[in-house]
Amino acid sequence: MTAADAGLADKAAPGPPPPIPRTRDRWPGPRPLLWAPRARTVEIVLPATDARLPLRLVGAHEPGYWRADAELAHGTDYLFSVDGGTPVPDPCSTWMPHGVHGASRVLDQEFGWTDGAWRGADLDSGALLRVDLPTFTSAGTLDAAADRLEDVAATGVVGVELSPVATHDPAHGPAAGVRLFAVHEPLGGPPALQRFVDHAHRCGLAVVLDAPHRWAVADDLGLHAFGPYATGSRIGPRTGARPGPPGSDSPRINLDGGGSRGPRDFLVADAERWLRDFHVDGLLLDVDALVDRSAVPFLGELAEDVHGLGEQLGRRLHLLVDGPGRSDRLTTVVHHILASPGDADPVQDLRRLAHEVFPPTTSPWRPPSLRRAHRATQRAASVLVSDLTRLPAANRSVPWTPDAGAAGGAVATVTDDDRACLLTFAILAGTPPVLDTEHVPVPVRDERARRLVDWTRALLALRPAASADRDLPVEVRTEGTTLLGRRGRTAVALVTGTEPADVDVSSLPSDSRVVAAWDPAGTTLRDGVLRIPPRSPAVLHHGPSER
């Protein structure tokens, strides 16, 4: 049998491949590479012909890595056999048309990109819209979602946060295990994601991809056949992960134990793949799944790598970190206030709300490994964003949120006034906001939806000025059922009761003016007194116009 008969793209002379600076560069690719530090032999198995082709150790400079002598042709199905064992898929499979446990297939990465002028977006002063692919359209595919990107751009957001696209077993869900490198075929497969990102950039939108790391080394994936990808501890319901089938709680990725170099390389290669080959602008990291106690925290290592990749590509790249309890505090407080407007003493809730809208100027809490990551990577820390502010539906659809109920509990009757309040506080909060389609309807189908989208656009136009002042001291005053919070040039006023009320704004600079009001006709500012209807937020600003 010749190399061509075996599905090889070209013939290669026997012997190990020539040394290169780093064998893992451009991994994965058409030339199979595998980390299997405990293996004595590794073979490529080609199901079409039952051929077996040996892999060779790369060398002592990169211990544990095995590589093929030549590339496999585009479209070739293959598996790996370690020490003559049962053939299993490539842990870094880029295309899995046969399912999560089927053969891997070599993917042709070529695509006619049209986004050569795209340089990224500013996520710090803008906002993202959460696109939960299974619910965003009736088809639930990437191509169907791409058809709505013009409507998304019209809301004023700077990008979309895309729900996980990693392939998994549809019968058991992603909690039973995901193949990080491969795009789920029912979503349209890898070409559909390329089309989605390219179209998003044409619409002026960044794409942040949700990376479901907590399910990347699940037992059912069989990665133990290759090496210590996982440790014994597990990420289960205690951290808020969606429950899967019995026994499906996933083990932790081995980031700080023996043999952790391989899993670290595995995750860095996955990040590089989406950012480089699919032109994705950022990744949302489940920080709970990536905690480690090593001297060089993985998050710091990843930040350094992404920083360098961004400089190489000439694009602005982002790593956002999130996890249980890190992005739902604002919605929790607002929901409680709106659900209980008749409380005898609303001041405590109002003060809590003020704390969330205008958090203290000190740095937010971070787990120890993330704090060390920031210290260890000062020049790369700009690619890391700590907490997010999520609206309820955006919070429900992330991997670490339980299925039951919205964050903070559901409000008995949610009105558009309530939605406008939540949008105001989320967009003007100190942390980057992630909006949802329950509060920002896409596409716009009626006047009610148009009003919410127009309100969102008006608030987002004010966000850069508010974001620029986030390090300034905060002033908060509550009186009765009114709240006035101010930081720098921006102030937010709200009445939580059921009747219109006067808010004393005489403490604000004399040139303060109303720049956004949910009910403009019912909102007046005269002689230092702001009159606003109930649950009708207003935003005030002083100084030169930002619009």
Side-chain angles (χ1 to χ4, degrees):
M1 177 179 295
T2 66
D5 293 332
L8 293 174
D10 57 2
K11 296 183 180 181
I20 55 178
R22 192 180 79 145
T23 307
R24 299 186 302 277
D25 286 342
R26 303 293 300 187
W27 173 45
R31 189 173 185 173
L33 177 71
L34 176 69
W35 180 72
R38 299 169 181 170
R40 296 185 298 276
T41 63
V42 179
E43 295 175 305
I44 301 172
V45 179
L46 303 176
T49 60
D50 290 329
R52 288 179 175 254
L53 309 171
L55 269 67
R56 305 178 190 276
L57 282 167
V58 169
H61 64 293
E62 292 190 80
Y65 281 93
W66 300 73
R67 193 160 201 173
D69 290 340
E71 294 183 353
L72 296 176
H74 166 60
T76 302
D77 287 347
Y78 70 100
L79 299 146
F80 286 134
S81 174
V82 176
D83 296 335
T86 302
V88 290
D90 184 348
C92 299
S93 298
T94 57
W95 189 10
M96 302 198 74
H98 305 295
V100 69
H101 301 298
S104 306
R105 180 172 290 178
V106 178
L107 174 67
D108 182 0
Q109 301 278 33
E110 293 300 319
F111 180 76
W113 292 99
T114 65
D115 64 349
W118 177 256
R119 293 296 176 264
D122 182 5
L123 303 189
D124 288 332
S125 61
L128 298 171
L129 181 72
R130 173 74 176 183
V131 172
D132 187 42
L133 287 168
T135 60
F136 190 60
T137 65
S138 57
T141 64
L142 283 157
D143 285 331
D147 289 340
R148 291 189 175 175
L149 288 175
E150 289 88 351
D151 295 316
V152 172
T155 67
V157 298
V158 299
V160 295
E161 182 203 305
L162 196 60
S163 62
V165 299
T167 194
H168 58 274
D169 184 346
H172 294 102
V178 299
R179 300 287 184 183
L180 282 182
F181 291 74
V183 179
H184 200 44
E185 283 297 306
L187 297 178
L193 181 59
Q194 291 172 317
R195 292 190 294 268
F196 181 93
V197 174
D198 197 49
H199 187 48
H201 291 170
R202 288 200 301 273
C203 295
L205 296 170
V207 178
V208 173
L209 184 63
D210 191 338
H213 292 121
R214 65 177 50 228
W215 301 319
V217 295
D219 292 338
D220 288 350
L221 297 175
L223 299 186
H224 52 273
F226 302 107
Y229 277 87
T231 65
S233 59
R234 295 174 178 270
I235 306 171
R238 65 181 180 82
T239 61
R242 283 179 179 158
S248 68
D249 52 320
S250 298
R252 286 190 177 276
I253 303 169
N254 177 20
L255 296 176
D256 53 9
S260 60
R261 182 68 263 159
R264 283 174 170 241
D265 290 344
F266 172 75
L267 295 184
V268 169
D270 178 62
E272 289 182 352
R273 167 175 163 72
W274 301 120
L275 297 170
R276 181 191 61 224
D277 298 339
F278 284 83
H279 294 204
V280 166
D281 299 278
L283 297 174
L284 178 71
L285 309 177
D286 176 4
V287 68
D288 215 48
L290 300 178
V291 168
D292 67 288
R293 297 177 176 82
S294 59
V296 181
F298 172 72
L299 284 172
E301 179 183 337
L302 182 61
E304 285 281 5
D305 186 88
V306 170
H307 177 86
L309 183 62
E311 290 186 335
Q312 174 190 334
L313 299 176
R315 288 195 284 118
R316 191 172 192 167
L317 303 178
H318 301 267
L319 295 177
L320 287 74
V321 295
D322 200 5
R326 296 178 64 83
S327 61
D328 57 1
R329 297 185 301 271
L330 174 70
T331 55
T332 299
V333 177
V334 175
H335 271 196
H336 182 70
I337 292 173
L338 298 179
S340 310
D343 281 356
D345 183 15
V347 173
Q348 181 178 0
D349 283 333
L350 288 169
R351 291 193 180 280
R352 289 177 61 209
L353 176 57
H355 178 79
E356 299 302 338
V357 176
F358 300 104
T361 55
T362 55
S363 299
W365 176 88
R366 295 186 178 99
S369 68
L370 188 53
R371 287 200 299 270
R372 291 200 305 274
H374 276 265
R375 290 199 299 269
T377 60
Q378 291 183 3
R379 75 180 186 90
S382 60
V383 302
L384 283 174
V385 179
S386 56
D387 294 322
L388 302 174
T389 295
R390 291 184 176 280
L391 293 193
N395 204 53
R396 287 198 299 272
S397 59
V398 293
W400 43 83
T401 306
D403 287 325
V411 179
T413 302
V414 180
T415 68
D416 284 347
D417 291 345
D418 299 334
R419 295 185 177 94
C421 289
L422 193 51
L423 279 167
T424 304
F425 293 118
I427 291 175
L428 297 180
T431 56
V434 182
L435 312 182
D436 64 38
T437 54
E438 288 184 8
H439 292 75
V440 188
V442 175
V444 173
R445 302 188 186 279
D446 52 35
E447 285 305 311
R448 170 197 156 271
R450 169 62 59 193
R451 188 185 181 200
L452 284 167
V453 168
D454 287 347
W455 179 241
T456 301
R457 189 185 300 110
L459 293 170
L460 286 171
L462 301 171
R463 179 162 171 77
S467 298
D469 291 340
R470 61 186 159 207
D471 291 332
L472 297 178
V474 175
E475 302 172 16
V476 176
R477 190 180 74 245
T478 58
E479 183 176 348
T481 60
T482 68
L483 164 72
L484 179 65
R486 176 196 171 194
R487 170 181 280 150
R489 295 164 291 172
T490 304
V492 179
L494 174 68
V495 173
T496 63
T498 58
E499 299 294 332
D502 292 333
V503 183
D504 181 2
V505 296
S506 59
S507 61
L508 301 180
S510 58
D511 63 342
S512 296
R513 62 199 180 280
V514 177
V515 291
W518 175 242
D519 183 356
T523 302
T524 60
L525 175 60
R526 292 191 183 92
D527 300 325
V529 176
L530 179 68
R531 179 76 170 178
I532 52 176
R535 304 196 184 198
S536 180
V539 182
L540 299 92
H541 191 82
H542 74 89
S545 175
E546 299 286 337
R547 305 181 66 181

